[in-house]
Amino acid sequence: MLRPILALALLAPAPAAAQQDETFFFLLTAPQLTCLRDNAEAYAPAEGQTAFVTLADCGQGSPSPAPDAAQFSTPDISLFDGTEAPDAVVALSAQDFACLAKLEIPQEAGLLAFYPERCNVEPR
């Protein structure tokens, strides 16, 4: 017999982040997205690889190599104030850079969501 708490846990829906319909995106400014697009030749990795680009350094050299081993740490959530901020690092494939080359990037102030899988950019 299942205990009541365990039975409730089994019936609870999956968290929103775990659901399949949530689409992954990078949150960037128009100048950051433009920099990635304009430097695609330097940053685009070989087929099947991923380039890690630190956006603060965009346009100043080659991307960081893929890490040999994943290192995980717990973020300091006390610093989180609920406002959206651009991502500091992006991980893009050759296909993602090919997508960027075709996109018209809105030059609005504020943040843009870049959806690599949909090859789309939308104001946030």
Side-chain angles (χ1 to χ4, degrees):
M1 178 174 159
L2 291 176
R3 294 185 178 170
I5 294 174
L6 180 58
L8 289 176
L10 292 174
L11 297 175
Q19 294 178 359
Q20 293 290 26
D21 59 347
E22 188 168 314
T23 305
F24 175 79
F25 63 90
F26 291 107
L27 200 54
L28 307 165
T29 64
Q32 289 172 324
L33 203 51
T34 300
C35 183
L36 289 170
R37 181 190 62 199
D38 294 349
N39 290 284
E41 189 173 306
Y43 289 144
E47 191 67 36
Q49 295 183 346
T50 302
F52 293 83
V53 181
T54 303
L55 292 166
D57 299 332
C58 185
Q60 300 177 15
S62 60
S64 302
D68 291 333
Q71 295 182 6
F72 299 99
S73 63
T74 304
D76 183 358
I77 61 171
S78 67
L79 300 175
F80 182 71
D81 65 1
T83 59
E84 290 186 319
D87 292 319
V89 176
V90 294
L92 300 173
S93 67
Q95 293 86 358
D96 298 336
F97 280 103
C99 162
L100 277 174
K102 298 182 279 185
L103 285 179
E104 183 174 326
I105 299 171
Q107 295 301 312
E108 324 178 337
L111 297 174
L112 302 171
F114 170 52
Y115 298 88
E117 289 181 12
R118 292 194 288 180
C119 192
N120 188 26
V121 64
E122 297 173 3
R124 289 291 287 191

